[in-house]
Amino acid sequence: MRKVKHARFGKKQPPCCDEGGMRRVLLGAILAVGIAAPSSLAGTSFAADAAPAPAASAASASGAEAAANNVDARWSTAPISMGSFAGDIAMSPDGKRAYVAVADGIGVIETASGKLVETFSSAAPGTGLGRIAVSPDGKRLYVADPGGIRIVDAFTGQLTENVELDRDNYPLTLAISPDGHKLYVNASSLSGPSAVITVDTKTNQVSARTSLAPLGVRDLSQISVSPDGSRVYINGGYGGVGVVDTSTNTLPVIPSVLPTFDGGGGIQVSPDGRHLYTYGNSEMGSDRIQVIDTASEKVTAAIDTPSYVSNMVLSPDGKALFAVTVRGEVLEINTGDNSVLETLETGPTFQSDAGMAVTPDGKHVYVFNYGVDERRVTAFTRQ
């Protein structure tokens, strides 16, 4: 069992310095398949108006300490070796399978046994660079691949169709609407700004494009769809948070959010649609997850993090937010009072979009680790 650190953090560390290395890995992989990596867009800096996170009360601190001391009874940890570079992780709706994008296809982890049971080679090569989305009915996998989206049967691994994008578009992050009718793709472009591309999943054709030029978006910015499907939120790096109105495909911006000077960092909307969680940092190295009220579009709380947040995922009931840092801390956050309950340890992620997924019952959390000597998924199980 891996060591679990106390929920309270020590001396603040500067934000991750390894994103350049990660981008070099990504660039090399892109060039290997014959696609040039687009340059990041220049953004506009601004002053964030988010209030600093309030100090934890003695009661919450003692509660966190009690939880940390009892962590061995609450969580167990197990590594799942992947054998090759991996990126995103997506969970099946029934929680029985976790799909992992690896260099040679899609690895399938059986959650009951915690084992890698098969690899779908139909989606290789290139899947380790992008993201995976699972249809709400659990039947299809959408896999970001150079030049388009591959659609794979989630049970047989058979490649059923390719969604062609423009030749200069490179899809990097994906999200699917709750009804499964639309797939949203954050795609970099060689000839212009990044865009959110909307794909009609009935016809598998591109139905709309929304330019992300106002955001100065970084290549790996992540996206999240509201429960009613009316909005697509994107972590816009220097420009704040973008809000795509899916009825008009326009892009209002929430400029008051602390920007992400390092790009990436994750974004999640709560199951009731009332709150948005997004990572941001400052030029002075302050790292925090911000809680945004989606009705007022104001930051209502901030949660300090020990280092750069690589990714985050909400439990399906919305009561817990799990966030992973590039140093390997996995924070379990109580969304009721925004307190950090646990700081679990996994290996370094070294990615600004490390794969992460949680089962529907909230009892299993999966995180991809990109280490020097090992490529693995760490499975945390609540006891």
Side-chain angles (χ1 to χ4, degrees):
M1 184 170 297
R2 293 185 176 273
K3 178 183 177 184
V4 179
K5 299 193 294 185
H6 195 281
R8 291 174 293 181
F9 308 130
K11 183 178 179 181
K12 178 68 68 177
Q13 298 294 324
C16 172
C17 304
D18 297 315
E19 185 180 4
M22 179 266 178
R23 286 182 178 277
R24 287 192 292 273
V25 173
L26 178 61
L27 174 60
I30 293 173
L31 293 177
V33 294
I35 296 179
S39 300
S40 297
L41 298 173
T44 304
S45 61
F46 53 88
D49 64 0
S57 66
S60 63
S62 62
E65 183 173 354
N69 290 337
N70 192 39
V71 72
D72 286 354
R74 297 186 66 239
W75 292 95
S76 64
T77 307
I80 304 172
S81 179
M82 301 306 297
S84 63
F85 175 86
D88 197 19
I89 305 176
M91 184 62 59
S92 64
D94 61 9
K96 294 181 178 180
R97 287 181 162 194
Y99 300 97
V100 186
V102 293
D104 53 355
I106 301 174
V108 182
I109 295 174
E110 182 183 70
T111 59
S113 65
K115 295 181 179 179
L116 179 67
V117 294
E118 59 183 318
T119 299
F120 297 156
S121 60
S122 58
T127 58
L129 303 179
R131 312 294 287 182
I132 302 176
V134 186
S135 62
D137 61 8
K139 295 180 180 180
R140 295 174 300 283
L141 304 178
Y142 297 92
V143 185
D145 209 46
I149 305 296
R150 298 195 181 199
I151 303 176
V152 176
D153 185 293
F155 300 104
T156 67
Q158 180 180 358
L159 178 66
T160 60
E161 194 165 352
N162 281 311
V163 179
E164 298 294 335
L165 303 179
D166 290 345
R167 290 186 61 186
D168 67 343
N169 286 138
Y170 190 89
L172 289 170
T173 57
L174 307 177
I176 195 164
S177 63
D179 61 11
H181 294 167
K182 293 180 179 180
L183 177 72
Y184 298 99
V185 184
N186 170 28
S188 292
S189 175
L190 300 176
S191 60
S194 299
V196 170
I197 298 174
T198 304
V199 176
D200 185 321
T201 58
K202 291 183 179 180
T203 63
N204 292 324
Q205 299 294 315
V206 173
S207 60
R209 295 173 186 268
T210 305
S211 173
L212 298 178
L215 288 175
V217 143
R218 301 296 290 268
D219 294 342
L220 294 176
S221 296
Q222 297 173 21
I223 53 182
S224 183
V225 186
S226 63
D228 62 4
S230 66
R231 293 182 173 188
V232 176
Y233 297 97
I234 181 164
N235 191 348
Y238 293 97
V241 169
V243 187
V244 177
D245 184 325
T246 59
S247 63
T248 62
N249 297 305
T250 55
L251 185 74
V253 175
I254 306 176
S256 61
V257 178
L258 190 68
T260 306
F261 287 98
D262 290 333
I267 189 166
Q268 288 282 298
V269 61
S270 61
D272 60 9
R274 296 175 57 189
H275 298 99
L276 185 68
Y277 300 88
T278 181
Y279 166 76
N281 59 21
S282 71
E283 291 175 313
M284 300 302 294
S286 175
D287 296 280
R288 61 183 52 174
I289 293 170
Q290 299 157 113
V291 185
I292 303 168
D293 181 283
T294 56
S296 67
E297 296 188 343
K298 298 294 183 182
V299 177
T300 59
I303 306 162
D304 285 339
T305 63
S307 61
Y308 179 97
V309 172
S310 173
N311 204 351
M312 62 181 78
V313 63
L314 276 163
S315 60
D317 61 8
K319 294 181 179 180
L321 175 70
F322 299 92
V324 62
T325 73
V326 292
R327 296 194 319 203
E329 299 105 340
V330 180
L331 312 179
E332 180 191 6
I333 298 167
N334 180 351
T335 58
D337 60 8
N338 299 314
S339 63
V340 179
L341 299 178
E342 304 287 2
T343 303
L344 309 174
E345 279 190 354
T346 183
T349 59
F350 293 135
Q351 293 175 264
S352 62
D353 65 336
M356 195 174 193
V358 60
T359 53
D361 59 10
K363 294 182 178 180
H364 304 274
V365 179
Y366 298 86
V367 182
F368 171 70
N369 308 118
Y370 182 80
V372 175
D373 300 318
E374 184 180 11
R375 312 292 190 269
R376 69 173 184 268
V377 169
T378 300
F380 296 99
T381 301
R382 190 189 304 273
Q383 300 301 296

